[in-house]
Amino acid sequence: LAVLPFANLSADPAQAYFSDGLTEESLTRLARIPALRLTGRTSSFSFKGRNEDLRQIGAKLGVEHLLEGSVRRDGEQLRVTAQLIRAEDGTQQWSKTYDQSLSGVFAVQDEIAKDVAQALSVKLDVGTLNRAQGGTTNVEAYDGYLRWRDFQLSERRDPAEARSSVQRLRKAVALDPGFVLAWDALAQSLTRLAERAQPAEAAQLRAEAAAAHERIVALAPDSWIVKRERAYALFAEGKWAEAIAVARAIMESSPRSWEHTYPYINLIFSVGRLEETFRISDELQAM
């Protein structure tokens, strides 16, 4: 199965980050179903905005089914339309429209996963975006996180936007102090800002980043984020083999994604394992 980027039908083109985020969350939920093989985000999103025949897309991705849809956000109202397509002949196997208030976006993500699983007659074993996954149920906090992630995955390097992202993330963790993913995003963003800041400001930014990391450890001591930081700390201590082993475990513990794979790629590149670095990077791009 490939989950294609849901089209943004909102009046504001800038709302594309929201439809992209909903697509990714639906992909993540479906990827946790053992009976399904999902293509990765990179491969699916390579067709964003391209008006290609669905049969050709299915052939290029090597999948039997495609999930596509659209998102219309109008103030506090949300309409999501999803349809499951058989790639071989382009016929529609299932479709549904979900009308919800904006606060129901998390329920929509779960419902799409459940309905697609039922349409494919596979067992659904997928949790909601909850504390165990580092998420939130606060829509405004979630929106701020999605805006940050959209900026991170883009090729834009706008210093003003980077600072705006930090402000959104500060607001996100204030709205939901248990939002682990937002705390991690904030720590990363503060660290990057510190690299370009004057010494006095850089010290303040690094101190705030360190405090964000402490919150993550307190909230989710067994999370992959904490393990990632442990891998980097071990590497800094010269314990390269142990650090790489921790990073590899992170990569192999979840459906392949950039976030879970990058620490391993980064560390093996640092020790000169170039052939393996390029191979895994190519695999990630091809997913």
Side-chain angles (χ1 to χ4, degrees), residues 223-243:
S223 72
W224 71 271
I225 297 170
V226 173
K227 292 174 183 176
R228 180 197 66 202
E229 295 306 306
R230 178 169 174 262
Y232 285 144
L234 287 168
F235 195 86
E237 294 170 8
K239 300 175 181 178
W240 294 356
E242 191 175 347

Side-chain angles (χ1 to χ4, degrees), residues 248 251 264-265 268 273-281:
R248 185 180 185 90
M251 179 179 70
Y264 183 70
I265 292 176
I268 62 173
R273 288 160 56 174
L274 302 185
E275 185 175 341
E276 185 181 6
T277 299
F278 297 139
R279 175 178 60 78
I280 295 177
S281 296

Side-chain angles (χ1 to χ4, degrees), residues 44-96:
S44 296
F45 273 69
S46 67
F47 293 96
K48 182 178 180 180
R50 291 164 56 179
N51 189 27
E52 289 196 37
D53 186 278
L54 291 175
R55 292 169 296 182
Q56 294 179 355
I57 293 176
K60 290 178 181 178
L61 294 176
V63 297
E64 295 179 4
H65 297 88
L66 299 163
L67 178 67
E68 66 166 3
S70 62
V71 180
R72 185 185 300 275
R73 180 177 172 182
D74 185 9
E76 293 300 309
Q77 291 302 118
L78 190 66
R79 168 167 285 193
V80 179
T81 299
Q83 56 182 350
L84 186 67
I85 307 296
R86 187 163 59 193
E88 183 180 11
D89 55 13
T91 58
Q92 185 183 100
Q93 291 190 275
W94 161 88
S95 68
K96 187 172 179 179

Side-chain angles (χ1 to χ4, degrees), residues 2-287:
V3 181
L4 301 179
F6 282 25
N8 171 36
L9 299 186
S10 305
D12 181 5
Q15 289 293 323
Y17 77 89
F18 189 85
S19 54
D20 287 352
L22 190 145
T23 304
E24 289 190 50
E25 292 296 346
S26 298
L27 191 157
T28 298
R29 283 160 167 71
L30 288 164
R32 295 182 183 278
I33 303 174
L36 286 180
R37 181 180 67 83
L38 270 288
T39 58
R41 180 194 189 280
T42 303
S43 296
S44 296
F45 273 69
S46 67
F47 293 96
K48 182 178 180 180
R50 291 164 56 179
N51 189 27
E52 289 196 37
D53 186 278
L54 291 175
R55 292 169 296 182
Q56 294 179 355
I57 293 176
K60 290 178 181 178
L61 294 176
V63 297
E64 295 179 4
H65 297 88
L66 299 163
L67 178 67
E68 66 166 3
S70 62
V71 180
R72 185 185 300 275
R73 180 177 172 182
D74 185 9
E76 293 300 309
Q77 291 302 118
L78 190 66
R79 168 167 285 193
V80 179
T81 299
Q83 56 182 350
L84 186 67
I85 307 296
R86 187 163 59 193
E88 183 180 11
D89 55 13
T91 58
Q92 185 183 100
Q93 291 190 275
W94 161 88
S95 68
K96 187 172 179 179
T97 297
Y98 306 84
D99 286 306
Q100 281 272 11
S101 65
L102 186 58
S103 62
V105 62
F106 307 108
V108 169
Q109 292 165 356
D110 280 343
E111 286 180 40
I112 290 173
K114 291 175 182 175
D115 290 341
V116 170
Q118 184 174 11
L120 293 171
S121 299
V122 299
K123 181 182 178 182
L124 179 65
D125 181 19
V126 55
T128 57
L129 181 66
N130 57 19
R131 292 287 180 252
Q133 296 168 294
T136 184
T137 55
N138 184 292
V139 173
E140 191 174 354
Y142 177 65
D143 188 85
Y145 174 76
L146 286 184
R147 288 177 183 269
W148 168 82
R149 196 166 190 275
D150 178 68
F151 177 62
Q152 287 300 112
L153 291 172
S154 73
E155 295 182 355
R156 305 191 306 273
R157 292 296 176 264
D158 182 351
E161 179 61 24
R163 289 188 176 273
S164 294
S165 291
V166 166
Q167 291 301 106
R168 292 191 194 102
L169 291 167
R170 283 171 172 155
K171 184 176 181 180
V173 296
L175 289 167
D176 183 355
F179 192 178
V180 174
L181 293 176
W183 280 112
D184 183 46
L186 178 60
Q188 293 182 53
S189 299
L190 290 166
T191 300
R192 292 193 187 95
L193 281 184
E195 292 171 356
R196 300 186 296 271
Q198 294 298 316
E201 184 189 14
Q204 294 177 347
L205 292 170
R206 291 193 178 97
E208 187 180 352
H213 280 304
E214 290 176 5
R215 287 299 298 268
I216 294 169
V217 173
L219 289 166
D222 297 323
S223 72
W224 71 271
I225 297 170
V226 173
K227 292 174 183 176
R228 180 197 66 202
E229 295 306 306
R230 178 169 174 262
Y232 285 144
L234 287 168
F235 195 86
E237 294 170 8
K239 300 175 181 178
W240 294 356
E242 191 175 347
I244 290 171
V246 173
R248 185 180 185 90
I250 294 170
M251 179 179 70
E252 295 177 345
S253 66
S254 302
R256 187 68 64 88
S257 69
W258 179 252
E259 286 93 340
H260 290 86
T261 306
Y262 180 73
Y264 183 70
I265 292 176
N266 193 23
L267 295 186
I268 62 173
F269 176 79
S270 298
V271 297
R273 288 160 56 174
L274 302 185
E275 185 175 341
E276 185 181 6
T277 299
F278 297 139
R279 175 178 60 78
I280 295 177
S281 296
D282 289 344
E283 290 173 356
L284 194 62
Q285 290 294 325
M287 289 180 64

